[in-house]
Amino acid sequence: MRKSGQNLMVGAGILTLAGIIAKLLSAVYRIPFQNLVGNTGFYVYQQVYPIYGIGVVLALSGWPVFISKIITEQPDEAHQQLVARRLFWWLLFISCGLFILVYGGAPILALGMGGNLKLTPVVKAVAWMFWFMPFLAVGRGFAQGQLNMVPTAISQIIEQIARVAIIIAIAWYGVTAKWSVYTIGTWAMAAAAIAAAAATLYMSGVVKSIWRTPITKAVKKDKSIGWFRIFHRLWNEGNLLAMLAGLLVLLQLVDSFSTKGLLEIYGLSTQAAEYAKGVYDRGQPLVQLGMVLATAISTSLLPVLRNHVVHHEQKDFINDFQMMFRLSLILSGVATCGLMAVMPVVNQVLFSTREGSQSLIVFVLTVIPATLILIGTSVLQSLNKTRGIGWLIILTMVIKYGLNIWLVPQYGIIGASWSTILSLLPMLSIVMHRLPKTLWQQWHGPRWWGKFILTLLGVLVGAGGWCQISDIFIGSSRLANLITLIIAILIGIIVFIIMLWRLRLLSVAEWYALPKGHKIYNFLERRNK
């Protein structure tokens, strides 16, 4: 396999592993948290969570991906470091503005989130994390621009471990001390700033390194990396990438400002609406888990594709895109079918009841279009063909809001799930249409779609069938469901691997591109002889 492809997959592999660990922690901490504070307490936390989610997107994937792209374009280390320095000061200025906006506007935001002023201190608590974004974004982006994904991966894990540990401790102590759910929510959101500080401490070495090389006057006078040129690109390209990476968080923000009131129109009381919204929010960590690979691939894909563009390596560009697109489609499809198959079981294991399983099954369908949008827009970004995409994201949010107004009052919380997936389809169609036609030439083999659908059905029937049988013979207690879930995951993985191999859905190169894929492929080939 080519060196660029190997670098791409190594980078994606590192970020995928870190993402899986972080998302598992993000899902696991919700178990004791939701069980301790209840669905209403979970609702309080999740109402403000999109603001935290936007901060994470900016510091972890949005701005760093843009920074990695612009770093890759520079001819030498001096240019790279000067760009990084100037971006740091611009991001510090923007972060200051975001802090003032969120902290100062907390009462207005709280009123917008269901007319509940008790959410004001919760909103204020999360605002403090914005001060750490310049350090994390520039440190991560600078390292990624040099195709070093390790600092991003480790800092992500440090940040998540610190945040999860603090949140669980706060929930336990708050319940013991009989705090209100709003006090617990305030301190839980404050954990975001503390965790960001821990990650910043780890990234301090990388951040310091951008001031290591003395910059000559000739480099400083380069107009292509002037102060306002850098800001213009940050505002147009960087913020666009942040919006793309945070697309689902932005849709979640729409839910925070609309769903509770619409559920009351549906006929629920205020308390019942908050409870139902808390149940609906269970879907967020599950979708995030399904999106881990897409986020990692898109983060690793952009600097590599941009490098192909800069060096006019069209054939390598097409090959890398096609391989990543096929793998992303297959893996996101299998993740979606797997989550759908085990949803009632995983719902009870994580959150103690099977409430809202139908709406969550619909909700996880968003993994596929969201994944393809991420990959497609990464390609458009590498080709500098993103004009109008920002407005498309805003249009998607407007469509989501409009569909909420139409569907939630008629169908309740499942209407919010349908509005999310339906709002993504127009954007997916436009993004795929805007990709160059040359990328689609011979991008899959004969009968590929039939093999792909058969593989998804195999996983859905295998894992889902086991869950149905297990309910009858093992029972539906929480412990029984945990055993069922573990076995269902193993069945799903085994069926998936066997179907991939038997149907020859992946090429040998694609098998080798997957983590441990070469060992699995060689083992299966030996067993067949």
Side-chain angles (χ1 to χ4, degrees):
M1 206 180 161
R2 297 176 324 280
K3 188 175 180 180
S4 65
Q6 291 173 338
N7 288 340
L8 173 60
M9 288 312 303
V10 169
I14 291 170
L15 288 180
T16 298
L17 179 61
I20 289 172
I21 294 170
K23 296 306 178 187
L24 282 174
L25 287 170
S26 183
V28 167
Y29 88 84
R30 282 171 164 83
I31 303 171
F33 185 76
Q34 186 267 350
N35 280 270
L36 284 166
V37 302
N39 280 317
T40 302
F42 195 55
Y43 155 81
V44 169
Y45 179 79
Q46 287 292 132
Q47 278 294 88
V48 181
Y49 182 87
I51 299 175
Y52 162 76
I54 289 169
V56 168
V57 164
L58 290 173
L60 182 63
S61 49
W63 284 342
V65 171
F66 161 71
I67 294 168
S68 72
K69 176 193 173 187
I70 200 170
I71 292 296
T72 303
E73 294 172 355
Q74 304 311 310
D76 53 48
E77 191 173 357
H79 282 78
Q80 290 178 344
Q81 292 190 21
L82 182 60
V83 166
R85 293 176 199 181
R86 289 177 173 175
L87 283 168
F88 175 85
W89 293 117
W90 277 124
L91 291 182
L92 187 62
F93 175 75
I94 293 171
S95 297
C96 177
L98 288 171
F99 173 80
I100 293 170
L101 180 67
V102 175
Y103 192 89
I108 298 171
L109 291 170
L111 281 174
M113 293 176 176
N116 190 351
L117 276 173
K118 292 180 180 179
L119 289 172
T120 301
V122 188
V123 176
K124 285 185 175 181
V126 78
W128 292 98
M129 71 163 293
F130 288 109
W131 288 111
F132 299 97
M133 290 197 307
F135 301 92
L136 295 174
V138 172
R140 289 162 170 168
F142 186 76
Q144 287 167 207
Q146 298 174 329
L147 301 183
N148 179 12
M149 308 299 167
V150 174
T152 297
I154 294 178
S155 66
Q156 183 183 4
I157 293 171
I158 290 172
E159 185 174 3
Q160 199 62 252
I161 288 174
R163 190 174 72 91
V164 166
I166 294 167
I167 287 175
I168 292 174
I170 285 167
W172 175 82
Y173 181 80
V175 170
T176 304
K178 297 184 178 179
W179 288 357
S180 73
V181 290
Y182 294 97
T183 303
I184 293 174
T186 299
W187 283 100
M189 278 299 166
I194 300 170
T200 299
L201 188 63
Y202 169 78
M203 292 297 298
S204 60
V206 178
V207 176
K208 285 179 184 177
S209 71
I210 68 175
W211 272 275
R212 183 177 56 205
T213 303
I215 308 298
T216 63
K217 289 184 178 180
V219 175
K220 290 180 180 179
K221 290 180 179 180
D222 188 339
K223 291 182 180 180
S224 67
I225 55 172
W227 280 98
F228 290 102
R229 174 63 178 163
I230 289 288
F231 179 77
H232 182 264
R233 292 193 62 181
L234 172 64
W235 189 256
N236 287 290
E237 299 175 43
N239 287 345
L240 173 62
L241 275 170
M243 291 174 72
L244 289 168
L247 180 58
L248 292 182
V249 177
L250 292 172
L251 297 183
Q252 189 180 351
L253 190 65
V254 173
D255 278 326
S256 289
F257 281 97
S258 63
T259 304
K260 180 199 165 188
L262 293 170
L263 285 171
E264 290 175 357
I265 296 173
Y266 175 66
L268 301 182
S269 66
T270 298
Q271 286 187 332
E274 291 177 354
Y275 184 92
K277 175 63 165 53
V279 172
Y280 168 73
D281 285 331
R282 297 176 182 183
Q284 296 297 335
L286 299 175
V287 170
Q288 288 171 358
L289 194 59
M291 289 289 295
V292 165
L293 185 64
T295 304
I297 288 176
S298 62
T299 301
S300 301
L301 185 63
L302 181 54
V304 173
L305 291 184
R306 185 61 189 167
N307 191 55
H308 289 327
V309 172
V310 170
H311 293 95
H312 307 289
E313 299 166 344
Q314 186 176 6
K315 186 177 179 181
D316 289 342
F317 185 99
I318 293 172
N319 287 337
D320 277 342
F321 163 76
Q322 290 185 349
M323 182 177 70
M324 287 300 103
F325 190 85
R326 284 192 299 269
L327 290 175
S328 297
L329 182 57
I330 291 168
L331 294 170
S332 64
V334 167
T336 301
C337 289
L339 284 169
M340 291 172 67
V342 303
M343 184 55 69
V345 174
V346 77
N347 194 12
Q348 186 168 356
V349 169
L350 293 180
F351 304 108
S352 76
T353 70
R354 295 191 177 190
E355 292 175 291
S357 291
Q358 285 187 327
S359 66
L360 297 179
I361 287 172
V362 174
F363 191 77
V364 297
L365 286 169
T366 59
V367 170
I368 297 175
T371 295
L372 300 185
I373 287 170
L374 263 178
I375 299 299
T377 50
S378 289
V379 176
L380 292 175
Q381 184 71 24
S382 68
L383 294 170
N384 289 326
K385 292 185 177 182
T386 54
R387 189 173 182 179
I389 296 292
W391 290 108
L392 189 57
I393 294 170
I394 294 171
L395 177 62
T396 301
M397 295 175 68
V398 171
I399 293 172
K400 162 68 175 169
Y401 183 73
L403 288 171
N404 268 3
I405 292 174
W406 174 38
L407 296 173
V408 176
Q410 291 191 59
Y411 304 105
I413 206 65
I414 197 170
S417 295
W418 278 114
S419 70
T420 299
I421 185 168
L422 292 174
S423 66
L424 290 171
L425 297 182
M427 182 171 182
L428 174 62
S429 176
I430 293 170
V431 167
M432 292 296 107
H433 180 73
R434 290 185 64 175
L435 291 174
K437 290 181 174 59
T438 54
L439 296 179
W440 300 112
Q441 293 175 1
Q442 299 179 332
W443 76 274
H444 63 76
R447 298 188 296 278
W448 188 90
W449 282 106
K451 296 175 183 178
F452 172 59
I453 293 170
L454 198 58
T455 301
L456 297 188
L457 288 174
V459 172
L460 191 63
V461 172
W466 161 250
C467 289
Q468 295 293 325
I469 294 169
S470 178
D471 268 358
I472 299 171
F473 293 101
I474 298 180
S476 56
S477 68
R478 201 169 186 182
L479 179 60
N481 273 272
L482 177 60
I483 296 169
T484 299
L485 179 61
I486 293 169
I487 295 174
I489 292 171
L490 291 174
I491 290 173
I493 292 172
I494 291 169
V495 170
F496 175 52
I497 291 173
I498 291 174
M499 296 288 282
L500 284 182
W501 177 63
R502 285 288 186 187
L503 297 176
R504 302 294 175 180
L505 189 59
L506 297 181
S507 67
V508 177
E510 287 166 345
W511 273 104
Y512 276 55
L514 293 171
K516 305 295 182 182
H518 65 288
K519 291 185 178 180
I520 297 171
Y521 178 79
N522 291 333
F523 171 77
L524 292 171
E525 284 294 309
R526 286 197 301 270
R527 295 283 295 180
N528 192 46
K529 291 179 180 178

